[in-house]
Amino acid sequence: MKPAGTEQAEASPLQALIDLGALGRVFSLPTVISNCLAGWVLSGCGNIGKLILACLSLSFLQVAISWLTLLFDLKSESDYQRMYPWLSTRVTLRILWILSVVFIWLGILLAACCGRMVAILACWILFIGLLTACTHRLFFLSALLPGFLRASYYVVGGSVAWGGLMGESLWGAVGILFFMFGSGYVTRQRWNAELRSLAIPSVAFAVPLLLALIVNDGDYRWIGVCFTGAVFAWLLYIFYRQNVRKEMAQTAAYLTATICLIDFLAAGVESVPVALILGGLFVLANFLCQNMKRMDDIWIVL
């Protein structure tokens, strides 16, 4: 028989890994994959091997940026120990910095395997990510910069497709940019938001819905109308939980998962397999965002 406390001691390294993943916002990785996949579909698909490498590259960069967003808030080791007393006994602040750098290099190296254009985009994403980490406490930039990150993920996906970067991928990037701005605006005001304060994010959320109706023309128009209506109802549900029921703590989680629905509108209607994948990513992202710890530590939807 094992001595008392042995199971807990053995589980501690695993728990530290889980906590590190939560701080790195690994629950948002399904949305990163869906952004890249949507851009890839809109540019004609193809080059599946490069698509996989691009998704891995963006995932490494996303986790590194999330860690850096946390690290830039910590003034000293004592701050780290106060905010994360258990984790700090397993993972020092220095190790967290080293992991961030390692993930950045892995992301750039994988991007380089996809070609010069993707490598340049990875450097651009890193620049925007560092700027986000430095300025995420500033209201306007905390709402705007994550949109440029997500739009860049679309551009990466389009760049690895057979057709190269095409106009529809750029339209999808514009749509996700507006959605992320609206999400950042909502989450930064979530504790005192009233219905009148949602005018700006409502306009921002309407842009990707309108773009979806424009892109899905011809035989796909009626399908686009149905799915756009469903996403609109989902956004109303989020607003209802925040403003009527005053359940504001999970707003960021719901909006993060909604990124997959915006990708679905942009690219999933015309392809059944892609629609199933993007729908599955939404379900996975929603589950992870609702169940992973410390979702509400960061005020922005990355």
Side-chain angles (χ1 to χ4, degrees):
M1 186 177 240
K2 293 184 180 180
T6 302
E7 292 85 359
Q8 184 177 359
E10 291 177 350
S12 293
L14 176 60
Q15 187 59 48
L17 194 62
I18 293 173
D19 289 347
L20 273 177
L23 294 179
R25 300 169 68 87
V26 295
F27 44 76
S28 69
L29 293 186
T31 66
V32 175
I33 296 171
S34 72
N35 287 157
C36 189
L37 182 62
W40 176 74
V41 170
L42 290 170
S43 287
C45 303
N47 294 329
I48 295 179
K50 286 187 176 183
L51 172 67
I52 294 173
L53 289 176
C55 288
L56 288 173
S57 170
L58 296 179
S59 296
F60 279 119
L61 291 174
Q62 174 82 2
V63 173
I65 290 168
S66 299
W67 280 335
L68 291 173
T69 303
L70 165 71
L71 289 169
F72 283 16
D73 276 346
L74 300 175
K75 302 297 187 291
S76 64
E77 190 81 34
S78 59
D79 283 350
Y80 179 47
Q81 293 171 354
R82 187 184 71 256
M83 293 177 63
Y84 306 98
W86 187 90
L87 182 62
S88 62
T89 63
R90 288 281 175 178
V91 181
T92 66
L93 206 56
R94 181 182 179 184
I95 292 176
L96 202 50
W97 277 106
I98 292 173
L99 284 174
S100 299
V101 173
V102 169
F103 271 51
I104 286 171
W105 278 110
L106 285 173
I108 292 177
L109 287 174
L110 287 170
C113 294
C114 299
R116 189 191 323 178
M117 178 65 178
V118 180
I120 293 173
L121 286 170
C123 293
W124 163 257
I125 288 168
L126 176 60
F127 170 73
I128 296 297
L130 290 173
L131 198 58
T132 301
C134 293
T135 63
H136 72 277
R137 295 287 176 179
L138 302 177
F139 181 85
F140 181 74
L141 290 179
S142 71
L144 186 61
L145 289 176
F148 282 104
L149 270 180
R150 295 292 179 161
S152 300
Y153 296 168
Y154 263 76
V155 175
V156 169
S159 298
V160 299
W162 276 337
L165 188 60
M166 298 174 66
E168 288 189 355
S169 296
L170 294 177
W171 280 113
V174 170
I176 202 68
L177 172 63
F178 273 89
F179 175 79
M180 294 300 292
F181 176 76
S183 297
Y185 192 93
V186 168
T187 53
R188 285 303 298 260
Q189 293 194 78
R190 67 193 185 282
W191 299 120
N192 59 359
E194 300 292 342
L195 284 174
R196 64 177 178 273
S197 70
L198 294 177
I200 293 177
S202 296
V203 173
F205 291 153
V207 171
L209 301 183
L210 291 174
L211 287 176
L213 291 176
I214 294 171
V215 171
N216 292 293
D217 56 0
D219 294 337
Y220 297 103
R221 174 58 58 84
W222 69 272
I223 302 177
V225 169
C226 293
F227 284 133
T228 301
V231 174
F232 178 72
W234 170 254
L235 290 172
L236 286 180
Y237 172 71
I238 297 174
F239 284 2
Y240 169 76
R241 288 180 62 94
Q242 172 169 312
N243 292 281
V244 179
R245 297 182 61 179
K246 302 301 181 183
E247 297 175 1
M248 296 174 280
Q250 292 298 318
T251 298
Y254 280 120
L255 289 173
T256 299
T258 307
I259 294 171
C260 294
L261 290 184
I262 302 301
D263 298 334
F264 182 93
L265 287 179
V269 176
E270 297 187 20
S271 170
V272 174
V274 172
L276 292 175
I277 293 172
L278 290 174
L281 288 172
F282 166 70
V283 173
L284 178 61
N286 195 46
F287 172 80
L288 292 176
C289 289
Q290 296 299 324
N291 288 279
M292 290 292 282
K293 296 190 302 179
R294 309 202 67 85
M295 177 71 210
D296 207 43
D297 275 356
I298 301 176
W299 295 350
I300 52 177
V301 178
L302 277 176

